[in-house]
């Protein structure tokens, strides 16, 4: 009326943010009551994740940072990542992200992880990550979900239900790469421990062999020394002629000692070969026994299938019962009883008009009962 106009310089979001916080708290309480908060966290992370499904906007700076960090990691790891585009803010963002999760689940056996990333934003921009439907979908997702929304203050609801929450897309990439690096370092440690243990074992065996060799050499030298002394005494007592014979015996003793060492080493090599052969034969016998047991079990399966009542009916036999009990003899069956006959693909209901007993194909007794036939029903 008076021609006044207003220029809006700022809006106080206190009221709207307070309402959002209340709804967020209600959703978290509901997920807690439904035991969904820790469901995705209970999944085991792959030891070496190599195939990653990424949910993000193709034009988001956070997505580019994630891809650059994954592709150019300092360790040269080669990781496969596939983008499933989705809106990352606005009213349709929640539906778009759920749709991307549905597409990933169709290929769930191919992927190790699912990652949801974006490049940050205000608290209002991130409100799409506080919806109940999206949080429940992530909680029930069959593979671990990692989030990197790009904010450092309050957690969104999907951060709470996800397996792992990282601050930024780059932090998600670092988390994945550090996990692989940790596994590689454990392998290197195991390799080093194996080498050290093997070297220690070889050193111990060499020491034992050296001790045994030294003992053998000492005993041999002692025997030779004793023999020389005995021969010297004999030569002095027998004169010059026996000296040549003594030298001959001494030479023969040296040859026998050399042959003894050679045969000892050869025997050790033969024992090693025999142990290797026994180990190989034992492995072969175990595999053969397992194969025989597998064949025997398969035979049992075929026998069970052959004795299955359904297969017996397929061969033209039938099963007759009265009041739910299978009939084997005519005793207890009276005129007017309703009996059921099960055949291959049907069930026949009949009323008893007459009874006939056959014994060993020789003696027969037939009771003809005069009554009207009430009809037979077929239920297939």
């Amino acid at each position: 009326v008076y021609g006044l106009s207003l220029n809006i310089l700022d809006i106080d979001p206190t009221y709207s943010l307070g309402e959002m916080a209340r709804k967020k708290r209600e959703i978290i309480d509901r997920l807690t009551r439904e035991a969904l908060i820790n469901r995705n966290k209970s999944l085991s992370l792959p030891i070496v994740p190599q195939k990653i499904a990424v949910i993000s906007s193709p034009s988001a700076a956070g997505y580019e940072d994630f891809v650059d960090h994954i592709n150019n990691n300092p360790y040269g790891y080669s990781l496969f990542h596939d983008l499933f585009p989705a809106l990352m803010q606005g009213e349709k963002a929640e539906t778009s992200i759920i749709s991307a999760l549905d597409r990933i689940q169709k290929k769930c056996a191919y992927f190790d992880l699912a990652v949801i990333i974006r490049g940050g934003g205000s608290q209002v921009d991130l409100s799409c990550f506080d919806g109940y439907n999206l949080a429940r979908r992530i909680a029930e997702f069959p593979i671990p979900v990692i989030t990197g929304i790009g904010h450092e203050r309050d957690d969104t609801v999907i951060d709470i239900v996800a397996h792992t929450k990282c601050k930024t897309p780059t932090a998600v990439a670092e988390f994945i790469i550090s996990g692989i690096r940790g596994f590689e370092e454990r392998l290197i440690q195991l390799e080093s421990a194996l080498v050290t243990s093997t070297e220690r074992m070889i050193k111990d065996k060499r020491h034992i062999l050296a001790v045994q060799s030294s003992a053998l050499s000492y005993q041999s030298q002692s025997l030779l020394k004793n023999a020389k002394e005995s021969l010297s005494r004999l030569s002095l007592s027998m004169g010059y002629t026996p000296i040549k014979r003594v030298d001959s015996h001494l030479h023969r003793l040296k040859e026998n000692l050399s042959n003894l060492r050679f045969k000892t080493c050869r025997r050790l090599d033969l024992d090693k070969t025999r142990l290797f052969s026994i180990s190989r034969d034992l492995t072969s016998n175990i595999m053969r026994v397992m194969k025989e047991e597998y064949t025997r079990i398969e035979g049992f399966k075929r026998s069970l299938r052959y004795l299955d009542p359904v297969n017996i009916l397929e061969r033209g036999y039938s099963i007759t019962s009265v009041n739910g009990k299978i009939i084997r003899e005519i005793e207890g069956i009276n005129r007017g009883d309703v009996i059921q006959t099960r055949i291959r693909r049907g069930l026949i209901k009949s009323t008893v008009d007459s009874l006939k007993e056959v014994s060993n194909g020789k003696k027969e007794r037939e009771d003809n009962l005069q009554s009207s036939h009430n009809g037979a029903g077929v239920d297939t």
Side-chain angles (χ1 to χ4, degrees):
V1 176
Y2 302 101
L4 298 177
S5 63
L6 299 175
N7 293 325
I8 299 176
L9 302 179
D10 193 10
I11 296 177
D12 182 4
T14 304
Y15 173 75
S16 59
L17 291 179
E19 182 67 14
M20 290 167 57
R22 183 187 64 79
K23 292 181 178 179
K24 177 180 175 180
R25 184 71 259 170
E26 290 177 352
I27 291 174
I28 294 174
D29 292 341
R30 180 179 177 183
L31 292 170
T32 303
R33 290 194 304 272
E34 295 174 353
L36 294 175
I37 289 292
N38 296 317
R39 179 171 296 185
N40 196 260
K41 290 181 176 64
S42 65
L43 300 177
S44 299
L45 281 174
I47 297 177
V48 182
Q50 294 178 296
K51 293 170 287 187
I52 306 167
V54 182
I55 299 176
S56 182
S57 173
S59 59
Y63 172 67
E64 295 177 359
D65 293 341
F66 174 82
V67 171
D68 180 69
H69 207 78
I70 286 290
N71 292 341
N72 300 313
N73 66 84
Y75 308 108
Y77 300 142
S78 179
L79 303 177
F80 172 80
H81 49 85
D82 193 5
L83 175 64
F84 291 81
L87 298 175
M88 303 307 289
Q89 70 178 53
E91 295 180 356
K92 297 182 179 180
E94 182 177 6
T95 304
S96 179
I97 297 173
I98 292 175
S99 177
L101 289 170
D102 292 338
R103 295 197 302 274
I104 293 173
Q105 187 164 359
K106 292 179 181 179
K107 303 178 182 179
C108 190
Y110 182 75
F111 291 106
D112 300 321
L113 296 174
V115 172
I116 302 176
I117 55 177
R118 63 161 284 165
S122 67
Q123 189 169 357
V124 175
D125 292 336
L126 301 178
S127 62
C128 61
F129 299 106
D130 290 330
Y132 171 79
N133 293 330
L134 177 58
R136 183 183 182 91
R137 188 72 180 86
I138 292 174
E140 296 176 339
F141 207 63
I143 61 176
V145 178
I146 301 177
T147 59
I149 306 302
H151 60 98
E152 298 184 359
R153 290 183 295 177
D154 295 336
D155 292 340
T156 64
V157 176
I158 72 168
D159 287 329
I160 296 173
V161 299
H163 186 283
T164 302
K165 173 250 180 181
C166 299
K167 292 182 179 180
T168 64
T170 301
V172 174
E174 291 177 351
F175 173 77
I176 295 172
I177 293 171
S178 64
I180 300 175
R181 179 58 182 171
F183 175 74
E184 184 179 13
E185 289 177 348
R186 288 195 297 274
L187 286 182
I188 293 173
Q189 292 174 357
L190 289 174
E191 179 186 13
S192 177
L194 179 61
V195 171
T196 303
S197 177
T198 303
E199 290 177 347
R200 187 188 306 114
M201 184 180 297
I202 293 174
K203 183 178 179 181
D204 293 341
K205 295 299 182 182
R206 283 178 177 173
H207 176 70
I208 294 173
L209 183 60
V211 171
Q212 293 177 346
S213 176
S214 177
L216 179 62
S217 176
Y218 174 78
Q219 292 176 359
S220 300
Q221 290 176 2
S222 178
L223 290 174
L224 286 173
K225 182 179 180 181
N226 294 333
K228 285 181 179 181
E229 292 176 353
S230 298
L231 289 174
S232 296
R233 288 194 296 270
L234 287 173
S235 64
L236 290 174
S237 63
M238 297 177 64
Y240 178 76
T241 303
I243 292 177
K244 292 183 178 179
R245 185 178 299 174
V246 171
D247 290 338
S248 175
H249 285 294
L250 181 61
H251 178 70
R252 190 178 304 147
L253 285 173
K254 290 181 179 179
E255 290 180 347
N256 291 336
L257 177 60
S258 178
N259 291 334
L260 176 61
R261 291 177 176 175
F262 173 77
K263 291 180 180 179
T264 302
C265 294
R266 184 178 179 185
R267 179 60 182 271
L268 289 173
D269 291 338
L270 291 174
D271 288 342
K272 290 180 180 179
T273 303
R274 186 167 61 87
L275 288 174
F276 175 77
S277 177
I278 292 172
S279 175
R280 183 182 57 195
D281 293 341
L282 180 61
T283 302
S284 176
N285 289 335
I286 291 174
M287 296 301 295
R288 178 179 55 78
V289 170
M290 291 179 65
K291 185 176 181 181
E292 290 175 355
E293 290 298 318
Y294 176 80
T295 303
R296 188 165 64 89
I297 292 173
E298 288 297 319
F300 289 156
K301 289 182 179 179
R302 288 194 296 271
S303 299
L304 289 174
R305 287 194 297 269
Y306 181 78
L307 296 175
D308 192 336
V310 174
N311 293 331
I312 295 175
L313 295 177
E314 287 289 338
R315 295 198 297 271
Y317 293 92
S318 63
I319 301 174
T320 303
S321 62
V322 60
N323 296 327
K325 296 182 179 179
I326 297 176
I327 300 175
R328 294 181 174 84
E329 299 178 353
I330 66 172
E331 279 74 15
I333 306 301
N334 302 310
R335 180 174 60 85
D337 286 346
V338 176
I339 62 176
Q340 295 181 346
T341 302
R342 176 71 181 271
I343 59 177
R344 183 170 66 97
R345 294 184 180 177
L347 182 65
I348 302 173
K349 294 182 179 180
S350 309
T351 302
V352 176
D353 289 336
S354 64
L355 300 172
K356 180 178 181 181
E357 180 180 5
V358 179
S359 178
N360 297 327
K362 297 179 180 181
K363 180 180 178 181
E364 297 184 359
R365 177 174 62 85
E366 180 175 359
D367 298 326
N368 293 322
L369 305 174
Q370 296 181 356
S371 66
S372 61
H373 182 59
N374 294 328
V378 179
D379 181 14
T380 61

